[in-house]
Amino acid sequence: MKTNKIDVVLGLQWGDEGKGKVVDVLTPDYKVIARFQGGPNAGHSLVFGGDGFVLHTVPSGIFRKDSVNVIGNGVVIDPVILMDEIRAIEQKAGDITGKLLISKRAHLILPTHRMLDAASEASKGKSKIGSTLKGIGPTYMDKTGRNGLRIGDILSPEFQNRYNALKRKHFGLLSQYDFQFDITDYEKQWMQAVEDLKRFQFIESELVINKYLDEGTPILAEGAQGSMLDIDFGTYPFVTSSNTMTAGVCTGLGVAPNRVGKVIGIFKAYCTRVGSGPFPTELFDETGESLRQIGHEFGATTGRPRRCGWLDLVALKYAVMMNGVSELIMMKADVLNTFKTIKVATAYEIGGKRMDYFPFESGEEVTPVYKEFPGWESDICDVRNYADFPQQLKDYIAFIESETGCPVRIISVGPDREAIVVR
Ligand code: GDP
Ligand code: IMO
Ligand code: MG
């Protein structure tokens, strides 16, 4: 495949759609896999050879032979978490020094950023965001506030002084909270991890990526989180601190909009969310509990139980529109195997008013308007050809396609790399 465009994989819901699996499955078609935003708040699960693996900062192409994996400028990096992850990968896959490239412009998450995240959340009480507490918000705040430290700064003789100055500033901020903390141990690990990272190539990733594009090398951009967690268009303030949508590929990797090729949008056949904030189709009953148990809906990064509910087509259409999705992938269809009835929200009612679009007022009392489908009530885990799917599932997919105007090209029927149906 020769192309001068960068393809994109991203989540269309509230994260955890299965981006890790999809990127791992698609990597053989690409040479370069690049993360463009987010950081260790992400947890991307891969399952192959009877083994599972969760990636946080490293792109999900890392286990594929000959892949080049780039951590782009839009990503925020905690050296401790990244080095732990690298060591775990290397135990399984051998030395990855040559196949992991890190942007000099990617910002560093300091130990005090994590403390600021925790202090801010604690001070919010009931209105807390439900952050993963990895320091994501405070690090992006320092980036836009023009105070941040970047990967490239590690090599500067001034690095320690600049670190100390930023730490002092953070201590000042932390003193305004009623919050006890001690970073001594983590700071030691952090400094060691910074040293350990020096064996990797720190690059001008925007130049490297554009060179690959000019040469016609296939590149896949891997999103983290999901569209409904986007800082601008998600359910603010219950969002993450980066642009999780296609637009983020341009700023997070340094590629022009006209270089974006296919936009592959991923969604679960139902819906989940972890952390606080609006979730119109959330189920608080046994059905929700069944989705959680059957789908093993517990956070890959924090282990927290995920909130579960029916597929929300209002939110999905909103995400398809703003991402310019060209094709869809439906994940976890197998989780619905035993359900007698499956519901899909096609509109909302807010204050007695019906709307078929995702409104600013999504935090208010929202009553979803549902369309019901008969379930297939059979096991699809071993199906590998679309023709062999039960008619009820085909009807469900056809409805989603007609509502979103996008083809569903792949259906995932289990966590494993192999559990996939390509049309
Ligand atoms: P990501 O953050 O988007 O990469 O998704 P996560 O890894 O956080 O969560 C997805 C979870 O669903 C992981 O535990 C995957 O192993 C699992 N998974 C992915 N695809 C499927 C599928 O088609 N069926 C089932 N049952 N599980 C899946
Ligand atoms: P992946 O890439 C699901 C959620 C958190 C919280 C909010 C803000 O695995 O899909 P943050 O730590 O970013 O300040 O948290 O966003 N969140 C995610 N939810 N999947 C993720 O990543 C998430 N990353 C952050 O739960 O509600
Ligand atoms: Mg995840």
PDB file of all heavy atoms in Angstrom, residues 222-234:
ATOM      1  N   GLU A 222      -3.036   6.759  16.174  1.00  0.00           N
ATOM      2  CA  GLU A 222      -3.835   6.070  17.200  1.00  0.00           C
ATOM      3  C   GLU A 222      -4.339   7.066  18.241  1.00  0.00           C
ATOM      4  O   GLU A 222      -3.554   7.698  18.937  1.00  0.00           O
ATOM      5  CB  GLU A 222      -2.970   4.998  17.888  1.00  0.00           C
ATOM      6  CG  GLU A 222      -3.631   4.355  19.097  1.00  0.00           C
ATOM      7  CD  GLU A 222      -2.761   3.284  19.778  1.00  0.00           C
ATOM      8  OE1 GLU A 222      -1.616   3.063  19.325  1.00  0.00           O
ATOM      9  OE2 GLU A 222      -3.226   2.683  20.763  1.00  0.00           O
ATOM     10  N   GLY A 223      -5.641   7.186  18.340  1.00  0.00           N
ATOM     11  CA  GLY A 223      -6.220   8.086  19.329  1.00  0.00           C
ATOM     12  C   GLY A 223      -6.280   7.458  20.700  1.00  0.00           C
ATOM     13  O   GLY A 223      -6.211   6.238  20.852  1.00  0.00           O
ATOM     14  N   ALA A 224      -6.408   8.304  21.701  1.00  0.00           N
ATOM     15  CA  ALA A 224      -6.679   7.834  23.058  1.00  0.00           C
ATOM     16  C   ALA A 224      -7.960   8.517  23.530  1.00  0.00           C
ATOM     17  O   ALA A 224      -8.425   9.474  22.921  1.00  0.00           O
ATOM     18  CB  ALA A 224      -5.523   8.181  23.984  1.00  0.00           C
ATOM     19  N   GLN A 225      -8.549   7.987  24.602  1.00  0.00           N
ATOM     20  CA  GLN A 225      -9.831   8.448  25.109  1.00  0.00           C
ATOM     21  C   GLN A 225     -10.890   8.330  23.992  1.00  0.00           C
ATOM     22  O   GLN A 225     -10.762   7.460  23.150  1.00  0.00           O
ATOM     23  CB  GLN A 225      -9.735   9.895  25.652  1.00  0.00           C
ATOM     24  CG  GLN A 225      -8.960   9.994  26.966  1.00  0.00           C
ATOM     25  CD  GLN A 225      -7.457  10.007  26.775  1.00  0.00           C
ATOM     26  OE1 GLN A 225      -6.912  10.818  26.044  1.00  0.00           O
ATOM     27  NE2 GLN A 225      -6.756   9.100  27.443  1.00  0.00           N
ATOM     28  N   GLY A 226     -11.871   9.238  24.006  1.00  0.00           N
ATOM     29  CA  GLY A 226     -12.922   9.149  22.989  1.00  0.00           C
ATOM     30  C   GLY A 226     -13.483  10.532  22.717  1.00  0.00           C
ATOM     31  O   GLY A 226     -13.208  11.483  23.460  1.00  0.00           O
ATOM     32  N   SER A 227     -14.267  10.643  21.652  1.00  0.00           N
ATOM     33  CA  SER A 227     -14.760  11.965  21.234  1.00  0.00           C
ATOM     34  C   SER A 227     -15.574  12.665  22.315  1.00  0.00           C
ATOM     35  O   SER A 227     -15.543  13.888  22.435  1.00  0.00           O
ATOM     36  CB  SER A 227     -15.632  11.818  19.985  1.00  0.00           C
ATOM     37  OG  SER A 227     -14.858  11.287  18.943  1.00  0.00           O
ATOM     38  N   MET A 228     -16.324  11.890  23.111  1.00  0.00           N
ATOM     39  CA  MET A 228     -17.171  12.528  24.115  1.00  0.00           C
ATOM     40  C   MET A 228     -16.371  12.960  25.345  1.00  0.00           C
ATOM     41  O   MET A 228     -16.912  13.519  26.289  1.00  0.00           O
ATOM     42  CB  MET A 228     -18.339  11.602  24.502  1.00  0.00           C
ATOM     43  CG  MET A 228     -19.215  11.189  23.323  1.00  0.00           C
ATOM     44  SD  MET A 228     -19.663  12.546  22.218  1.00  0.00           S
ATOM     45  CE  MET A 228     -20.837  13.408  23.256  1.00  0.00           C
ATOM     46  N   LEU A 229     -15.056  12.701  25.310  1.00  0.00           N
ATOM     47  CA  LEU A 229     -14.150  13.200  26.359  1.00  0.00           C
ATOM     48  C   LEU A 229     -13.283  14.335  25.817  1.00  0.00           C
ATOM     49  O   LEU A 229     -12.359  14.797  26.495  1.00  0.00           O
ATOM     50  CB  LEU A 229     -13.260  12.065  26.881  1.00  0.00           C
ATOM     51  CG  LEU A 229     -13.931  10.977  27.742  1.00  0.00           C
ATOM     52  CD1 LEU A 229     -12.965   9.816  27.993  1.00  0.00           C
ATOM     53  CD2 LEU A 229     -14.415  11.556  29.068  1.00  0.00           C
ATOM     54  N   ASP A 230     -13.565  14.792  24.596  1.00  0.00           N
ATOM     55  CA  ASP A 230     -12.779  15.859  23.974  1.00  0.00           C
ATOM     56  C   ASP A 230     -12.922  17.156  24.785  1.00  0.00           C
ATOM     57  O   ASP A 230     -14.009  17.493  25.245  1.00  0.00           O
ATOM     58  CB  ASP A 230     -13.299  16.081  22.539  1.00  0.00           C
ATOM     59  CG  ASP A 230     -12.526  17.146  21.796  1.00  0.00           C
ATOM     60  OD1 ASP A 230     -12.900  18.344  21.890  1.00  0.00           O
ATOM     61  OD2 ASP A 230     -11.541  16.797  21.120  1.00  0.00           O
ATOM     62  N   ILE A 231     -11.825  17.874  24.914  1.00  0.00           N
ATOM     63  CA  ILE A 231     -11.822  19.100  25.727  1.00  0.00           C
ATOM     64  C   ILE A 231     -12.809  20.146  25.194  1.00  0.00           C
ATOM     65  O   ILE A 231     -13.403  20.898  25.964  1.00  0.00           O
ATOM     66  CB  ILE A 231     -10.377  19.677  25.837  1.00  0.00           C
ATOM     67  CG1 ILE A 231     -10.307  20.947  26.705  1.00  0.00           C
ATOM     68  CG2 ILE A 231      -9.772  19.982  24.480  1.00  0.00           C
ATOM     69  CD1 ILE A 231     -10.450  20.714  28.168  1.00  0.00           C
ATOM     70  N   ASP A 232     -13.023  20.193  23.890  1.00  0.00           N
ATOM     71  CA  ASP A 232     -13.952  21.183  23.330  1.00  0.00           C
ATOM     72  C   ASP A 232     -15.368  20.655  23.157  1.00  0.00           C
ATOM     73  O   ASP A 232     -16.330  21.353  23.434  1.00  0.00           O
ATOM     74  CB  ASP A 232     -13.437  21.680  21.966  1.00  0.00           C
ATOM     75  CG  ASP A 232     -12.344  22.716  22.131  1.00  0.00           C
ATOM     76  OD1 ASP A 232     -12.689  23.859  22.475  1.00  0.00           O
ATOM     77  OD2 ASP A 232     -11.154  22.384  21.944  1.00  0.00           O
ATOM     78  N   PHE A 233     -15.500  19.434  22.650  1.00  0.00           N
ATOM     79  CA  PHE A 233     -16.824  18.945  22.248  1.00  0.00           C
ATOM     80  C   PHE A 233     -17.377  17.833  23.135  1.00  0.00           C
ATOM     81  O   PHE A 233     -18.492  17.370  22.920  1.00  0.00           O
ATOM     82  CB  PHE A 233     -16.778  18.504  20.778  1.00  0.00           C
ATOM     83  CG  PHE A 233     -16.417  19.638  19.870  1.00  0.00           C
ATOM     84  CD1 PHE A 233     -15.155  19.720  19.296  1.00  0.00           C
ATOM     85  CD2 PHE A 233     -17.322  20.654  19.621  1.00  0.00           C
ATOM     86  CE1 PHE A 233     -14.800  20.790  18.492  1.00  0.00           C
ATOM     87  CE2 PHE A 233     -16.983  21.726  18.820  1.00  0.00           C
ATOM     88  CZ  PHE A 233     -15.717  21.797  18.245  1.00  0.00           C
ATOM     89  N   GLY A 234     -16.610  17.423  24.118  1.00  0.00           N
ATOM     90  CA  GLY A 234     -17.096  16.414  25.059  1.00  0.00           C
ATOM     91  C   GLY A 234     -18.024  17.035  26.089  1.00  0.00           C
ATOM     92  O   GLY A 234     -18.425  18.201  25.974  1.00  0.00           O
TER      93      GLY A 234
END
